[in-house]
Each structure stands twice: as structure tokens, then as C-alpha cells.
Amino acid sequence: MDAQNMEVAALIEKIAGLQAAIAELPSLSPSPEVDRLFTDLVTACVPPSPVDVTKLSPEHQGMREALIRLCSAAEGKLEAHYADLLATFDNPLDHLARFPYYSNYVNLSRLEYELLARHVPGIAPARVAFVGSGPLPFSSFVLAAHHLPDAHFDNYDLCGAANERARKLFGASEDGDVADLTQELGAYDVVFLAALIGMAAEEKAKVIAHLGAHMVEGASLVVRSAHGACGFLYPIVDPEDIRRGGFEVLAVHHPEGEVINSVIVARKAVDAQLSGPQNGARGAVPLVSPPCSFSTKMEASALKKSEELATKELAF
């Protein structure tokens, strides 16, 4: 076995051990043991790795899928815990940085906006939807506060409890499954799709196809994905599934550093032929280098002020 294969085998063994330990936890709610195990998991997955999770053995693929579901459940409990904590403050928006991964949302949202601005020149959306917003819709907040202050944001999440928590902090959020959104999707200039919407590849492809069937031509889609060992934390989205869903893929970005999620920027195809490979060939996906119903009814100036107060506690 060569050095690269040995590295991959050692990583898979480590992650399988962590998955087994996490699966045995009595609860995924925040605790010292839960925090330790997930910190070890993220630390193992973030560095660049030659592993290709799409080529895992059936046994390890099953382990990976189970681990992603555990990560999703733990992330939901973590966000619910901090949403309840923030709700105890008179001015919750002044304390967002208490959430341990808030800086990740700041950096990821900035990256997504910069990729949108690069590949959709002059973009100035009037309405934006975020599908899979959860109890802490940080992404929409950061985008509205810093990057798209003139846009109206609507957040959608299937979990009623998550939406109720979001309402207490940010004002409003919409209950509903993305599969139930049809005509509503035609009102948005940009739709963001959260990483954990559609856990398996088939589920994700189905969601994307639904968006493609109801978004208007020329509207932008931003999809969060994963690459390398981060594919043990989040589902990996195949750009071909986005094309088959009726979109033109504009860029795929795999960041390094603090941002864990990959980002795919696409546009609802004006010509149906743009959505699929031409003459049976896979279309070229530009891999780019790093770029040099919640409604933002609050005034943009107030959003910015709250965001500045929160980010004073962050270390970049």
C-alpha cells in the first residue's frame, strides 16, 4: 500500500471510530463529551485530504451516511440550545458571537456573496429565499446586514420548532417543506440551499429538480456542498445533478481554511439545452480560486449596527 492509500485508510479508520463513539452517546445535546467528539471529527476532516468519499466501500459508505445524519441532528440541537440562550437577552442580536461557530457563518456568507458577484455581474436581488434556515438563520442575517441590504429575505425550514425559535430572534420564518413550494419559488431572484437539505444524493437531486421546475429563468441558485474529507460531515452535491435539474453551473468552489462547505453557483437555464451535457459529454465546471418567511423588515442600518456589535467579539 502506497503512502497516499495508507493516509486515506488511517483517516477512514479514525472517522469510523469517531462515528461509533458518537452513535453511542446517550444524547447529542451540547455537553463536554459531545463537544469533544465533534471537535475531533471536524479537526480530522478539515485538512486537505486525498480521500474520495464517493469511492468508499459499501460498509464505509453506510458509516458515512450515518455520520452525516448524526452531524445534522447534533447541529440542530446545538443551534436550538443557543437560540434559547440568545432569546434570554433583551437584545439578542448584540450577542450572536456567543454561538461558537458564528464566524464560520460570517465567512461562508461572505464567500457566497463574492462568488455570486463574480459570476452574476451586477446582481441586485429584490427577493432572496434560504431553504433550510434552521433555528438560527445566521446566513440570511449576515447577507442582509453586509452584502444585500436592499433584498427581502424569506427563510424556510421544515421544522416548526426551529422556525418558532427563529421568530423569537429575527422576527419571522416560514413553516414548510421545499417540496410544497411551487409558485412561491418564482418570486425569488436568488435561492440558497442549505448543506443538510437532502441527506442522500437522490434526495438532494430531487430537491434541486423541484427548484429547477419552479424558479424563473435567469434566477440564481447557491448550493452548499462538500469536498474531500468534509464529505464525512456534509453531503456532496454532483454538479451534474444541478445541470439535470435545469440549471447552468457557473462555478464550483472548494475553499481552504476556516470555511468547511464547498459552494456551487448556478443559474436557472434560459435555454433548456444549457441544463445538460452537450452531445452526451459532461460540461466543464469552472473551479474557481478564492475570491479577492424570515424577512429583513428591520432597517438595514439597524442590521449593520447589530452585526458590528456582534462581530467585535470575533477573531479573524
Side-chain angles (χ1 to χ4, degrees):
M1 183 181 293
D2 60 31
Q4 186 175 95
N5 287 336
M6 290 178 63
E7 177 186 350
V8 169
L11 176 65
I12 293 174
E13 182 179 2
K14 180 174 185 176
I15 290 176
L18 288 168
Q19 187 273 334
I22 291 170
E24 292 177 356
L25 290 169
S27 170
L28 293 175
S29 296
S31 70
E33 183 64 6
V34 170
D35 295 346
R36 182 188 68 80
L37 286 171
F38 278 100
T39 297
D40 288 349
L41 177 63
V42 172
T43 300
C45 292
V46 167
S49 169
V51 67
D52 182 349
V53 299
T54 66
K55 297 180 179 178
L56 295 174
S57 68
E59 176 186 359
H60 289 141
Q61 196 62 255
M63 176 273 294
R64 171 181 169 258
E65 292 173 2
L67 180 56
I68 290 175
R69 294 185 186 279
L70 288 169
C71 289
S72 176
E75 186 172 311
K77 289 183 179 296
L78 181 69
E79 291 194 4
H81 171 81
Y82 277 93
D84 292 341
L85 173 64
L86 290 170
T88 64
F89 293 101
D90 291 336
N91 298 297
L93 301 186
D94 293 350
H95 302 276
L96 299 183
R98 288 177 177 268
F99 185 72
Y101 303 111
Y102 181 63
S103 62
N104 292 357
Y105 285 94
V106 172
N107 293 332
L108 176 56
S109 297
R110 180 172 57 227
L111 170 64
E112 289 172 326
Y113 171 74
E114 290 176 345
L115 288 168
L116 261 177
R118 177 187 290 189
H119 295 283
V120 188
I123 188 167
R127 297 196 65 184
V128 178
F130 196 101
V131 179
S133 49
L136 290 174
F138 286 146
S139 296
S140 295
F141 178 80
V142 173
L143 287 163
H146 283 305
H147 308 299
L148 298 169
D150 296 324
H152 173 104
F153 281 76
D154 289 323
N155 277 8
Y156 294 94
D157 199 281
L158 182 61
C159 177
N163 290 322
E164 184 58 33
R165 287 184 166 98
R167 290 187 190 104
K168 290 180 180 179
L169 298 176
F170 296 93
S173 189
E174 299 292 336
D175 295 324
D177 188 343
V178 63
D180 296 328
L181 302 177
T182 55
Q183 293 182 342
E184 298 94 332
L185 292 170
Y188 297 111
D189 305 298
V190 181
V191 174
F192 288 82
L193 185 62
L196 292 171
I197 297 298
M199 306 291 280
E202 305 79 33
E203 296 171 355
K204 184 80 74 172
K206 185 176 180 180
V207 171
I208 291 169
H210 179 79
L211 293 174
H214 298 286
M215 287 172 62
V216 296
E217 293 181 350
S220 299
L221 176 67
V222 180
V223 180
R224 294 179 178 178
S225 181
H227 180 68
C230 290
F232 287 106
L233 305 174
Y234 294 102
I236 291 178
V237 181
D238 186 347
E240 290 304 312
D241 285 336
I242 296 179
R243 285 197 181 91
R244 283 189 286 268
F247 295 90
E248 175 189 6
V249 177
L250 303 178
V252 178
H253 177 72
H254 303 307
E256 295 181 0
E258 295 182 9
V259 177
I260 295 175
N261 290 108
S262 297
V263 178
I264 303 174
V265 178
R267 177 170 51 209
K268 175 67 182 297
V270 175
D271 185 333
Q273 292 181 348
L274 293 176
S275 65
Q278 300 296 314
N279 300 322
R282 293 174 68 91
V285 177
L287 295 172
V288 301
S289 59
C292 309
S293 200
F294 159 76
S295 170
T296 54
K297 294 178 181 178
M298 298 189 303
E299 293 294 329
S301 59
L303 279 167
K304 290 180 180 178
K305 181 178 179 181
S306 299
E307 179 71 5
E308 288 166 1
L309 288 169
T311 54
K312 282 181 180 179
E313 303 175 41
L314 298 177
F316 289 95

